[in-house]
Amino acid sequence: MAELPRAGTAPPAAPAVPFDAKAAIAAAQGKYDAALKALEGSGKCDAPALANALSLYVVNFASGSAALPIGDVAELKKAVPALKLCAKDNVKLVVVGHTDNVGNPAANQKLSEARANALKALFVGQGLPAAMFAASESAAFCCSTRVSGRNCRR
């Protein structure tokens, strides 16, 4: 017969499972791909769904760098058709860069902005209007439309 814990004692803790960054990134990638597939073929802009899809993608920049990794460029280009549909509806996106907390805060601020601008430049280079994107360093992807003024954030 199993012994019950005595009153006032906590049950034994479950063993800690180490975080698997590669598995987490792969899971996010799968969600990104699924979200983009859901947007395909509709022929119309779904700005909140697009912002959600883009917020799922993780760009793993090299330390101290704002250069988009080649593999990420190909993946991010998959969003261009949906972005072009939303550009027709004057949707605006805020592109956000992040850094870790290692190093000088002012340098990290500049690096965050440079990372956001690198992503913006990628999309503009694919024929999207520069005015569609604002680069930032402080929030997640969000979108708004001029017509409704509504915002969405993930």
Side-chain angles (χ1 to χ4, degrees), residues 10-85:
V17 178
F19 178 71
D20 185 344
K22 288 184 180 186
I25 290 170
Q29 174 72 36
K31 290 177 183 177
Y32 168 78
D33 288 336
L36 287 180
K37 282 191 190 294
L39 290 168
E40 286 178 8
S42 70
K44 61 181 183 174
C45 172
D46 183 344
L50 176 59
N52 183 60
L54 290 169
S55 70
L56 291 168
Y57 194 80
V58 177
V59 176
N60 195 13
F61 289 94
S63 181
S65 173
L68 286 165
I70 299 298
D72 291 316
V73 169
E75 289 298 319
L76 290 163
K77 284 181 179 180
K78 291 179 183 179
V80 170
L83 285 163
K84 286 185 176 181
L85 285 173

Side-chain angles (χ1 to χ4, degrees), residues 1 7 10 13 19 25 34 40 63-64 79-80 83 85 93 111 115-116 124-125 133 137 146:
M1 177 177 226
F19 178 71
I25 290 170
E40 286 178 8
S63 181
V80 170
L83 285 163
L85 285 173
L93 294 170
L111 181 57
R115 288 175 172 178
V124 170
F133 304 97
E137 76 296 334
R146 278 191 199 165

